[in-house]
Structure formats: structure tokens, C-alpha cells
Amino acid sequence: MTFAVRSSNSVGGGGDSFAVLFVFFSYANPEAAEMSHGTKWLHHLRKLSAENISGGPIEKGQNRVIDASLTLIRERAKLKGELLRALGGVIASTALLGVPLGHNSSFLQGPAFAPPRIREAIWCGSTNSSTEEGKELNDPRVLTDVGDVPVQEIRDCGVDDDRLMNIISDSVKLVMEEEPLRPLILGGDHSISYPVVRAVSEKHGGPLDILHLDAHPDIYDAFEGNKYSHASSFARIMEGGYARRLLQVGIRSITSEGREQGKRFGVEQYEMRTFLRDREILENLKLGEGVKGVYISVDVDCLDPAFAPGVSHIEPGGLSFRDVLNILHNLQGNVIAADVVEFNPQRDTVDGMTAMVAAKLVRELTAKISK
């Protein structure tokens, strides 16, 4: 059984309308069914290779799909950049880029459906368009949107994760090429942070300081054998030398490997069991001096499930929403990019509450980025 919900909203206040088409599938195992197509394609490609059938036509077709996907992002970013430069007076403008990827999740894959739900919540009309610090989201100089990386369509062509991660990185770089755009990524599971941080670091020519809010450190070497697992993204980031400092805040589900990996990479891990002691430090952070800028990664499950129940991994004992805002508002540093990840709409059963939480995070991060 399928049903669709269609809504139209204005993004960035400049008449840039988008339509959200959100389709749910009902199966005995909906998570597996929704994500099966790309996996099936990879299986068939391997079978063709084993039978010594040329994969040339398939590879050419994959390249056409990838080129078309990147072209759409490039042209949307170019249009938004040209308009902002014509308006003038903008140092940095937040550009939303959705990365609807969920297959690297170790549990549920619903975060793949999050970007349209977050956008819908941002513009639903139940609240005004001002951030707490007074930025107006209806001003296109503050917030614009360049669309989504078509992850599932690319995977359905049999593109593997090595290439997919490169496509995500290339997409982020295309946005950054258009001054004054700064990417704010809508996930998606946390595996997307690796290619995004890599792109930002490479584009700026050096490592970043990263503030990572999460219930989990996501620093396994290769969780369940998957080097791109959402539980391994920060191991890849640290191995690549893309971060000078990595501060992990809200941690309350960590194994011995997580602590050992943290020590190996020199990660500053702030666990919830010591939050009261650490609060003053965390609410007065100063990052980014001597490096290319600050990157903020917010996993929605950093919050206690009382505030955000719509996540795949429910971990009681987390941060309050005001705790998170205090940390973000008081942070001193040049925030040049960010992501909001791991919102799972399929578990957001309380009147879209977690969608609104994710949207508020996006709004307040926009205020930190846009200048």
C-alpha cells in the first residue's frame, strides 16, 4: 500500500518554491523494502561481472546519471549565488542541501526520508520566520535552498558507496564554489558527515574544528564491517586529517572501543554523566582559531528522547533542547558549515514534534552561519 502527501512551500523568502512529494510504503519490513533497489542493482552488476559480461554500457549510464545529478546542484547553486551577489551586502548565506541517505544506518533507515520533512516543518507556518537571535529566514540573504543529492536514484543505478561518498563531497564543493553560499546539510544518517567534512576541509585547504553533538561518538573503526557506517563517520574524518579538534558533546552510549578510538585520535569527549561539571566549559566554547573554520554536526539523538522521540536510537538521559541552544548560541567561532542528521520521520509519531525540533536546529544553525 502506498500514499503520498504533497505540499508546496516557499524557501528562502525569494519566491523559490519547491514541492515535497513524500511517499510511504507499507510492507512487512518497510525499512528493508524501501532501501532494496540499490542493493539489488549492485547484486546484479556483480553477477554480470562474474559472467564476464561487459559492464561498459552500465558504467556509461551511471556516469550520465551522476553528471545530471551534479549539474542540477551546480546550476541551482550558481543561480542562488548570482542572485545573492547581485543583492550585495552578504558575507555568508546558508544554503540547505539535502542528503537523503539511510542505508548506512545499523538499525533503522528512516533518516533517508528526513530532508523533506525538515523543510516542511521550517515553513509550515506554525511559528514565525525569525531565529532567536533575530535573523529573518524569509530574507534570501540569510537562507536559500539548492535541493537534494538524489541518493536513492544514484544507488538504484548500482553506484557503490565509494563513488557515492565522492558524489556527496563533489555536491558540497559545488555549493561552496558559489560565494557567498555556505552549506547546511539535511541528513540522512550520520555517515554523510564524513564526505561533507572532507569536502569542506579540502575546499578551504586545511583542517577544521568540529563540534559534534550526539548520544554516540560514531568513531568505531568499521562498525559491523562497514567503513562507511553511521557509527564510523568520525573515524574516517580523523584518519583523513580533516579535523584539528573534535569535541563530542552529549555522549551517553559509548563502548570501550569508542573510548580507545577517542584517545587514539585525541578527541575531547564530554559524556552526559559529567555534564553538570562540564556545563560552564561547553556553554563558553571558543573554536576555530588558527584553522579554516568551525563545523557543527548535530545528531538529533543528542537530545533526550523527551524532546526528540523521532530518532532511530533512543537514548534516555540526554541534553535538553535549551542545553543545545545555549551551547550553539554562546559558541565563539566562524561557523562555515554544519549538518543536522539522524531524524527519523518514521518514528516521529507525536504530531511531527521531532520534525519541528530538527527544523528549529536548522534555523538556529542558519543564524550562526549567515552574516
Side-chain angles (χ1 to χ4, degrees):
M1 178 182 70
T2 66
F3 66 90
V5 178
R6 184 179 179 88
S7 65
S8 183
N9 298 282
S10 179
V11 175
D16 176 25
S17 297
F18 70 86
V20 176
L21 182 61
F22 193 65
V23 184
F24 294 80
F25 299 87
S26 176
Y27 297 86
N29 185 352
E31 298 282 355
E34 286 154 353
M35 298 297 161
S36 62
H37 299 294
T39 304
K40 287 180 179 178
W41 250 88
L42 290 173
H43 170 76
H44 290 310
L45 287 181
R46 293 190 189 103
K47 184 177 178 181
L48 287 174
S49 178
E51 294 174 354
N52 295 319
I53 297 175
S54 172
I58 294 174
E59 185 175 355
K60 289 180 180 178
Q62 290 173 339
N63 290 338
R64 290 195 299 270
V65 171
I66 292 168
D67 289 345
S69 302
L70 293 174
T71 296
L72 182 58
I73 291 170
R74 178 189 297 109
E75 293 305 318
R76 290 198 66 176
K78 184 176 181 179
L79 172 62
K80 304 302 174 65
E82 288 173 344
L83 292 173
L84 289 171
R85 291 191 294 272
L87 285 170
V90 187
I91 298 172
S93 176
T94 301
L96 300 182
L97 174 66
V99 184
L101 185 155
H103 65 275
N104 282 321
S105 175
S106 60
F107 182 42
L108 302 176
Q109 298 184 355
F113 301 111
R117 294 299 299 272
I118 297 172
R119 288 187 176 99
E120 183 180 29
I122 292 171
W123 303 109
C124 70
S126 74
T127 184
N128 62 50
S129 62
S130 295
T131 70
E132 290 196 3
E133 295 182 332
K135 296 284 179 68
E136 289 290 338
L137 301 188
N138 280 329
D139 186 340
R141 294 169 296 185
V142 174
L143 180 65
T144 188
D145 196 324
V146 296
D148 289 352
V149 179
V151 172
Q152 295 309 318
E153 292 81 354
I154 292 170
R155 291 191 74 234
D156 191 45
C157 296
V159 174
D160 63 20
D161 265 8
D162 288 331
R163 292 183 74 190
L164 180 59
M165 293 297 155
N166 289 336
I167 293 164
I168 295 170
S169 291
D170 289 344
S171 299
V172 173
K173 289 178 180 178
L174 288 173
V175 175
M176 296 176 67
E177 283 177 4
E178 295 297 329
E179 289 291 341
L181 300 184
R182 303 289 183 270
L184 200 172
I185 309 302
L186 307 180
D189 69 44
H190 221 149
S191 67
I192 71 169
S193 292
Y194 163 57
V196 175
V197 169
R198 178 177 64 182
V200 175
S201 173
E202 289 179 348
K203 191 67 178 173
H204 282 277
L208 315 170
D209 281 352
I210 300 177
L211 174 60
H212 169 208
L213 297 129
D214 202 328
H216 318 86
D218 293 349
I219 203 165
Y220 285 98
D221 180 58
F223 190 70
E224 296 180 338
N226 180 8
K227 67 179 180 179
Y228 294 126
S229 169
H230 69 156
S232 299
S233 51
F234 286 91
R236 303 289 82 78
I237 288 168
M238 299 309 288
E239 285 174 350
Y242 304 121
R244 179 189 66 171
R245 293 180 67 188
L246 171 59
L247 287 74
Q248 299 185 319
V249 179
I251 304 299
R252 57 194 185 276
S253 179
I254 183 171
T255 64
S256 57
E257 181 179 351
R259 290 192 174 91
E260 290 165 4
Q261 286 279 87
K263 291 177 182 177
R264 173 190 172 194
F265 292 119
V267 179
E268 300 164 57
Q269 294 177 331
Y270 292 91
E271 298 186 38
M272 283 306 300
R273 61 192 175 90
T274 61
F275 181 71
L276 291 179
R277 184 187 70 196
D278 300 330
R279 180 191 292 271
E280 185 175 354
I281 296 171
L282 297 174
E283 291 184 354
N284 294 279
L285 292 172
K286 190 172 184 179
L287 301 175
E289 289 186 338
V291 291
K292 300 300 180 178
V294 178
Y295 186 96
I296 300 176
S297 180
V298 182
D299 185 321
V300 177
D301 72 23
C302 72
L303 292 159
D304 189 272
F307 300 92
V311 296
S312 298
H313 298 269
I314 294 173
E315 288 289 344
L319 297 160
S320 74
F321 195 81
R322 185 51 55 183
D323 291 333
V324 171
L325 289 192
N326 287 342
I327 292 168
L328 296 179
H329 287 165
N330 295 332
L331 171 65
Q332 297 180 57
N334 179 26
V335 180
I336 57 175
D339 65 55
V340 175
V341 298
E342 295 287 353
F343 163 47
N344 185 345
Q346 294 177 328
R347 302 194 93 179
D348 194 16
T349 57
V350 187
D351 296 326
M353 171 180 169
T354 312
M356 293 302 294
V357 167
K360 175 92 171 184
L361 289 168
V362 169
R363 294 157 71 95
E364 298 307 311
L365 285 168
T366 294
K368 293 297 292 188
I369 295 170
S370 295
K371 302 176 181 64

